[in-house]
Amino acid sequence: MEWLTAVMDGLTDNKLPMGKAAKSVFDWLKENAEPIFDAMSTAMEWLIEAILWVLQTPHPLIIVAAFVALTWYLQRSWKTCLLVFLGFLFILNQGYWKETTQSLTLVLSSCVVCMAVGVPIGIAMAHRPKLYAWTRPILDLMQTLPTFVYLIPAIVFFGIGMVPGLIATVIFVLPAPIRLTHLGVSSTPQPLLEAATAFGGTARQTLWKVELPYALPQIMAGLNQTIMLSLSMVVIAALVGANGLGVPVVRALNSVNTALGFESGFIIVVVAIILDRMLRIGDAK
């Protein structure tokens, strides 16, 4: 058994320098790609401030009415509109409107970034199977890596505040729209594609007139997943200074305040229910 112990000692003594290698990469990026990160931070701050201004400048009841109107446009169901209305009234009653708008800003910002990046990448992967085969392990890594790990490079590159919270959220959420867009486009029936080609359709026309309409339910499912996963990052993003509903949850955890933790946690649940019911496009159709 001594030789087994020697083998184990040899393995532990010759540890692969994964941590040191990652640190070297982050240090190199911080020194050589600082202008890129500054530009990204500026763009993210502008997006966050714009959405926050839209949600916080008008009277809360005006924003509630806008969400109810959007729900009616998407669902055509008075029951869903009533649910959304009562949900927002409950949030106002509990005094969490400011925190809710801040969390919605983070969610909406991540949706804009993830859908703008994820949908084109998903389309490219659907048309290039080898590209999907090469990038699938990266997507698996992005989804399985503990979310707290994303906070470290986010702080290193972007400091503390809403921007690093948004970056960490985007990295965690991005695989969802990519995978679902790829699934929707790649599952387009071959007879439809052959018919489009037979009628003289170009590759761009086939994409816009056949593939994307067929993949729309999957793309909307990707949007729904993006919103739900972004909302799940609210508490984690609060650890790097992002404002929102995660702040009272973290404060309640630090002070062992059961009442505050239950209130803020239940508000997050209500927001999740509201957004989920609003965007159930497939059910509405």
Side-chain angles (χ1 to χ4, degrees):
M1 299 298 292
E2 294 181 358
W3 67 274
L4 289 177
T5 304
V7 171
M8 288 297 299
D9 293 339
L11 286 175
T12 54
D13 292 339
N14 296 278
K15 180 180 178 180
L16 295 175
M18 293 187 61
K20 294 181 179 179
K23 184 178 183 302
S24 299
V25 172
F26 290 145
D27 291 341
W28 184 88
L29 288 174
K30 188 176 181 180
E31 293 177 1
N32 297 276
E34 185 175 357
I36 298 176
F37 293 126
D38 290 342
M40 291 176 58
S41 179
T42 301
M44 297 292 182
E45 287 178 357
W46 180 86
L47 177 62
I48 291 171
E49 291 176 359
I51 297 177
L52 199 59
W53 183 86
V54 171
L55 292 178
Q56 290 188 345
T57 302
H59 192 276
L61 292 180
I62 296 178
I63 300 298
V64 172
F67 272 94
V68 172
L70 179 60
T71 304
W72 175 256
Y73 175 78
L74 295 175
Q75 301 295 333
R76 302 293 179 178
S77 170
W78 67 268
K79 294 180 180 179
T80 306
C81 292
L82 180 61
L83 175 65
V84 171
F85 180 69
L86 293 177
F88 277 116
L89 285 187
F90 176 76
I91 293 172
L92 289 170
N93 173 263
Q94 295 297 306
Y96 283 88
W97 179 252
K98 182 179 179 181
E99 291 82 0
T100 300
T101 56
Q102 291 169 340
S103 293
L104 286 175
T105 298
L106 182 63
V107 171
L108 295 176
S109 300
S110 64
C111 286
V112 171
V113 177
C114 289
M115 298 305 290
V117 175
V119 172
I121 293 178
I123 294 173
M125 289 182 178
H127 292 159
R128 299 169 180 84
K130 290 185 178 180
L131 176 62
Y132 178 68
W134 279 98
T135 55
R136 185 168 58 182
I138 300 176
L139 298 178
D140 294 337
L141 177 66
M142 293 170 64
Q143 287 187 307
T144 56
L145 198 67
T147 52
F148 288 95
V149 177
Y150 297 135
L151 302 181
I152 301 173
I155 294 175
V156 171
F157 297 139
F158 301 100
I160 295 177
M162 292 287 284
V163 173
L166 175 58
I167 295 297
T169 301
V170 168
I171 296 174
F172 174 70
V173 175
L174 187 58
I178 292 177
R179 289 183 184 276
L180 287 169
T181 302
H182 167 267
L183 176 63
V185 175
S186 61
S187 62
T188 305
Q190 193 63 28
L192 288 179
L193 300 177
E194 294 175 354
T197 303
F199 281 99
T202 63
R204 177 172 296 184
Q205 289 173 334
T206 302
L207 173 64
W208 286 99
K209 301 294 184 180
V210 179
E211 292 178 330
L212 287 182
Y214 186 86
L216 183 60
Q218 294 291 343
I219 295 175
M220 293 304 299
L223 175 61
N224 187 287
Q225 287 296 306
T226 299
I227 292 176
M228 294 298 106
L229 291 173
S230 300
L231 196 57
S232 70
M233 288 288 291
V234 165
V235 178
I236 298 175
L239 298 177
V240 293
N243 297 322
L245 293 170
V247 175
V249 174
V250 174
R251 189 182 303 122
L253 179 62
N254 293 332
S255 60
V256 198
N257 190 330
T258 305
L260 179 61
F262 185 83
E263 282 181 2
S264 53
F266 198 75
I267 294 297
I268 294 176
V269 173
V270 171
V271 173
I273 293 174
I274 290 174
L275 296 177
D276 178 67
R277 296 301 185 271
M278 285 181 61
L279 294 171
R280 287 193 172 184
I281 305 299
D283 293 349
K285 292 182 178 180

PDB file of all heavy atoms in Angstrom, residues 154-173:
ATOM      1  N   ALA A 154     -15.719  39.589 -12.996  1.00  0.00           N
ATOM      2  CA  ALA A 154     -16.564  40.770 -13.173  1.00  0.00           C
ATOM      3  C   ALA A 154     -16.074  41.914 -12.300  1.00  0.00           C
ATOM      4  O   ALA A 154     -16.027  43.075 -12.739  1.00  0.00           O
ATOM      5  CB  ALA A 154     -18.019  40.429 -12.860  1.00  0.00           C
ATOM      6  N   ILE A 155     -15.701  41.610 -11.068  1.00  0.00           N
ATOM      7  CA  ILE A 155     -15.167  42.646 -10.179  1.00  0.00           C
ATOM      8  C   ILE A 155     -13.804  43.123 -10.667  1.00  0.00           C
ATOM      9  O   ILE A 155     -13.500  44.316 -10.639  1.00  0.00           O
ATOM     10  CB  ILE A 155     -15.076  42.106  -8.742  1.00  0.00           C
ATOM     11  CG1 ILE A 155     -16.474  41.822  -8.184  1.00  0.00           C
ATOM     12  CG2 ILE A 155     -14.355  43.092  -7.841  1.00  0.00           C
ATOM     13  CD1 ILE A 155     -16.466  41.170  -6.821  1.00  0.00           C
ATOM     14  N   VAL A 156     -12.966  42.183 -11.125  1.00  0.00           N
ATOM     15  CA  VAL A 156     -11.619  42.545 -11.579  1.00  0.00           C
ATOM     16  C   VAL A 156     -11.683  43.509 -12.760  1.00  0.00           C
ATOM     17  O   VAL A 156     -10.941  44.500 -12.819  1.00  0.00           O
ATOM     18  CB  VAL A 156     -10.830  41.275 -11.950  1.00  0.00           C
ATOM     19  CG1 VAL A 156      -9.512  41.639 -12.633  1.00  0.00           C
ATOM     20  CG2 VAL A 156     -10.562  40.435 -10.708  1.00  0.00           C
ATOM     21  N   PHE A 157     -12.568  43.251 -13.702  1.00  0.00           N
ATOM     22  CA  PHE A 157     -12.608  44.040 -14.933  1.00  0.00           C
ATOM     23  C   PHE A 157     -13.519  45.260 -14.844  1.00  0.00           C
ATOM     24  O   PHE A 157     -13.275  46.259 -15.531  1.00  0.00           O
ATOM     25  CB  PHE A 157     -13.064  43.163 -16.104  1.00  0.00           C
ATOM     26  CG  PHE A 157     -12.126  42.037 -16.419  1.00  0.00           C
ATOM     27  CD1 PHE A 157     -12.612  40.785 -16.743  1.00  0.00           C
ATOM     28  CD2 PHE A 157     -10.750  42.221 -16.393  1.00  0.00           C
ATOM     29  CE1 PHE A 157     -11.750  39.738 -17.037  1.00  0.00           C
ATOM     30  CE2 PHE A 157      -9.878  41.182 -16.685  1.00  0.00           C
ATOM     31  CZ  PHE A 157     -10.375  39.938 -17.004  1.00  0.00           C
ATOM     32  N   PHE A 158     -14.579  45.197 -14.030  1.00  0.00           N
ATOM     33  CA  PHE A 158     -15.592  46.255 -14.056  1.00  0.00           C
ATOM     34  C   PHE A 158     -15.851  46.896 -12.695  1.00  0.00           C
ATOM     35  O   PHE A 158     -16.731  47.750 -12.582  1.00  0.00           O
ATOM     36  CB  PHE A 158     -16.913  45.700 -14.603  1.00  0.00           C
ATOM     37  CG  PHE A 158     -16.803  45.138 -15.988  1.00  0.00           C
ATOM     38  CD1 PHE A 158     -16.696  43.779 -16.194  1.00  0.00           C
ATOM     39  CD2 PHE A 158     -16.789  45.975 -17.091  1.00  0.00           C
ATOM     40  CE1 PHE A 158     -16.589  43.252 -17.465  1.00  0.00           C
ATOM     41  CE2 PHE A 158     -16.683  45.461 -18.368  1.00  0.00           C
ATOM     42  CZ  PHE A 158     -16.575  44.093 -18.555  1.00  0.00           C
ATOM     43  N   GLY A 159     -15.149  46.492 -11.656  1.00  0.00           N
ATOM     44  CA  GLY A 159     -15.350  47.105 -10.352  1.00  0.00           C
ATOM     45  C   GLY A 159     -16.597  46.587  -9.668  1.00  0.00           C
ATOM     46  O   GLY A 159     -16.992  45.434  -9.829  1.00  0.00           O
ATOM     47  N   ILE A 160     -17.243  47.470  -8.892  1.00  0.00           N
ATOM     48  CA  ILE A 160     -18.431  47.101  -8.122  1.00  0.00           C
ATOM     49  C   ILE A 160     -19.603  47.973  -8.575  1.00  0.00           C
ATOM     50  O   ILE A 160     -19.441  49.158  -8.834  1.00  0.00           O
ATOM     51  CB  ILE A 160     -18.183  47.280  -6.609  1.00  0.00           C
ATOM     52  CG1 ILE A 160     -17.108  46.292  -6.139  1.00  0.00           C
ATOM     53  CG2 ILE A 160     -19.456  47.064  -5.806  1.00  0.00           C
ATOM     54  CD1 ILE A 160     -16.738  46.436  -4.681  1.00  0.00           C
ATOM     55  N   GLY A 161     -20.789  47.360  -8.663  1.00  0.00           N
ATOM     56  CA  GLY A 161     -21.978  48.095  -9.051  1.00  0.00           C
ATOM     57  C   GLY A 161     -22.887  47.250  -9.930  1.00  0.00           C
ATOM     58  O   GLY A 161     -22.826  46.011  -9.933  1.00  0.00           O
ATOM     59  N   MET A 162     -23.737  47.915 -10.689  1.00  0.00           N
ATOM     60  CA  MET A 162     -24.692  47.222 -11.540  1.00  0.00           C
ATOM     61  C   MET A 162     -24.018  46.550 -12.730  1.00  0.00           C
ATOM     62  O   MET A 162     -24.463  45.489 -13.183  1.00  0.00           O
ATOM     63  CB  MET A 162     -25.743  48.213 -12.037  1.00  0.00           C
ATOM     64  CG  MET A 162     -26.664  48.759 -10.964  1.00  0.00           C
ATOM     65  SD  MET A 162     -27.884  47.538 -10.389  1.00  0.00           S
ATOM     66  CE  MET A 162     -29.043  47.547 -11.764  1.00  0.00           C
ATOM     67  N   VAL A 163     -22.953  47.153 -13.260  1.00  0.00           N
ATOM     68  CA  VAL A 163     -22.306  46.616 -14.467  1.00  0.00           C
ATOM     69  C   VAL A 163     -21.732  45.219 -14.228  1.00  0.00           C
ATOM     70  O   VAL A 163     -21.997  44.304 -15.018  1.00  0.00           O
ATOM     71  CB  VAL A 163     -21.229  47.584 -14.990  1.00  0.00           C
ATOM     72  CG1 VAL A 163     -20.445  46.943 -16.129  1.00  0.00           C
ATOM     73  CG2 VAL A 163     -21.878  48.876 -15.470  1.00  0.00           C
ATOM     74  N   PRO A 164     -20.923  44.988 -13.177  1.00  0.00           N
ATOM     75  CA  PRO A 164     -20.436  43.616 -12.976  1.00  0.00           C
ATOM     76  C   PRO A 164     -21.565  42.622 -12.713  1.00  0.00           C
ATOM     77  O   PRO A 164     -21.479  41.462 -13.120  1.00  0.00           O
ATOM     78  CB  PRO A 164     -19.509  43.739 -11.758  1.00  0.00           C
ATOM     79  CG  PRO A 164     -19.903  45.001 -11.090  1.00  0.00           C
ATOM     80  CD  PRO A 164     -20.348  45.911 -12.176  1.00  0.00           C
ATOM     81  N   GLY A 165     -22.633  43.060 -12.047  1.00  0.00           N
ATOM     82  CA  GLY A 165     -23.789  42.186 -11.867  1.00  0.00           C
ATOM     83  C   GLY A 165     -24.423  41.819 -13.191  1.00  0.00           C
ATOM     84  O   GLY A 165     -24.819  40.667 -13.411  1.00  0.00           O
ATOM     85  N   LEU A 166     -24.500  42.799 -14.107  1.00  0.00           N
ATOM     86  CA  LEU A 166     -25.061  42.543 -15.432  1.00  0.00           C
ATOM     87  C   LEU A 166     -24.163  41.600 -16.224  1.00  0.00           C
ATOM     88  O   LEU A 166     -24.649  40.674 -16.890  1.00  0.00           O
ATOM     89  CB  LEU A 166     -25.253  43.859 -16.177  1.00  0.00           C
ATOM     90  CG  LEU A 166     -25.718  43.764 -17.637  1.00  0.00           C
ATOM     91  CD1 LEU A 166     -27.040  43.026 -17.726  1.00  0.00           C
ATOM     92  CD2 LEU A 166     -25.829  45.148 -18.253  1.00  0.00           C
ATOM     93  N   ILE A 167     -22.847  41.811 -16.164  1.00  0.00           N
ATOM     94  CA  ILE A 167     -21.913  40.962 -16.905  1.00  0.00           C
ATOM     95  C   ILE A 167     -22.002  39.517 -16.419  1.00  0.00           C
ATOM     96  O   ILE A 167     -22.073  38.569 -17.218  1.00  0.00           O
ATOM     97  CB  ILE A 167     -20.477  41.496 -16.767  1.00  0.00           C
ATOM     98  CG1 ILE A 167     -20.342  42.875 -17.422  1.00  0.00           C
ATOM     99  CG2 ILE A 167     -19.483  40.520 -17.375  1.00  0.00           C
ATOM    100  CD1 ILE A 167     -20.594  42.873 -18.917  1.00  0.00           C
ATOM    101  N   ALA A 168     -21.990  39.322 -15.095  1.00  0.00           N
ATOM    102  CA  ALA A 168     -22.094  37.971 -14.548  1.00  0.00           C
ATOM    103  C   ALA A 168     -23.417  37.322 -14.940  1.00  0.00           C
ATOM    104  O   ALA A 168     -23.470  36.118 -15.249  1.00  0.00           O
ATOM    105  CB  ALA A 168     -21.955  38.016 -13.027  1.00  0.00           C
ATOM    106  N   THR A 169     -24.487  38.106 -14.953  1.00  0.00           N
ATOM    107  CA  THR A 169     -25.794  37.572 -15.343  1.00  0.00           C
ATOM    108  C   THR A 169     -25.800  37.159 -16.798  1.00  0.00           C
ATOM    109  O   THR A 169     -26.305  36.088 -17.160  1.00  0.00           O
ATOM    110  CB  THR A 169     -26.886  38.627 -15.095  1.00  0.00           C
ATOM    111  OG1 THR A 169     -26.893  38.986 -13.705  1.00  0.00           O
ATOM    112  CG2 THR A 169     -28.252  38.092 -15.476  1.00  0.00           C
ATOM    113  N   VAL A 170     -25.216  37.979 -17.678  1.00  0.00           N
ATOM    114  CA  VAL A 170     -25.189  37.674 -19.107  1.00  0.00           C
ATOM    115  C   VAL A 170     -24.407  36.398 -19.374  1.00  0.00           C
ATOM    116  O   VAL A 170     -24.829  35.539 -20.163  1.00  0.00           O
ATOM    117  CB  VAL A 170     -24.592  38.866 -19.883  1.00  0.00           C
ATOM    118  CG1 VAL A 170     -24.272  38.460 -21.329  1.00  0.00           C
ATOM    119  CG2 VAL A 170     -25.556  40.036 -19.877  1.00  0.00           C
ATOM    120  N   ILE A 171     -23.255  36.239 -18.720  1.00  0.00           N
ATOM    121  CA  ILE A 171     -22.450  35.034 -18.936  1.00  0.00           C
ATOM    122  C   ILE A 171     -23.219  33.784 -18.524  1.00  0.00           C
ATOM    123  O   ILE A 171     -23.186  32.751 -19.206  1.00  0.00           O
ATOM    124  CB  ILE A 171     -21.124  35.131 -18.159  1.00  0.00           C
ATOM    125  CG1 ILE A 171     -20.283  36.294 -18.692  1.00  0.00           C
ATOM    126  CG2 ILE A 171     -20.336  33.829 -18.282  1.00  0.00           C
ATOM    127  CD1 ILE A 171     -19.023  36.542 -17.889  1.00  0.00           C
ATOM    128  N   PHE A 172     -23.941  33.874 -17.416  1.00  0.00           N
ATOM    129  CA  PHE A 172     -24.692  32.721 -16.922  1.00  0.00           C
ATOM    130  C   PHE A 172     -25.912  32.415 -17.782  1.00  0.00           C
ATOM    131  O   PHE A 172     -26.260  31.244 -17.998  1.00  0.00           O
ATOM    132  CB  PHE A 172     -25.119  32.977 -15.471  1.00  0.00           C
ATOM    133  CG  PHE A 172     -26.024  31.921 -14.905  1.00  0.00           C
ATOM    134  CD1 PHE A 172     -25.548  30.649 -14.636  1.00  0.00           C
ATOM    135  CD2 PHE A 172     -27.352  32.206 -14.633  1.00  0.00           C
ATOM    136  CE1 PHE A 172     -26.379  29.676 -14.108  1.00  0.00           C
ATOM    137  CE2 PHE A 172     -28.192  31.236 -14.103  1.00  0.00           C
ATOM    138  CZ  PHE A 172     -27.701  29.969 -13.844  1.00  0.00           C
ATOM    139  N   VAL A 173     -26.561  33.461 -18.326  1.00  0.00           N
ATOM    140  CA  VAL A 173     -27.845  33.290 -19.007  1.00  0.00           C
ATOM    141  C   VAL A 173     -27.672  33.043 -20.510  1.00  0.00           C
ATOM    142  O   VAL A 173     -28.512  32.396 -21.137  1.00  0.00           O
ATOM    143  CB  VAL A 173     -28.729  34.538 -18.765  1.00  0.00           C
ATOM    144  CG1 VAL A 173     -30.017  34.461 -19.555  1.00  0.00           C
ATOM    145  CG2 VAL A 173     -29.025  34.677 -17.281  1.00  0.00           C
TER     146      VAL A 173
END
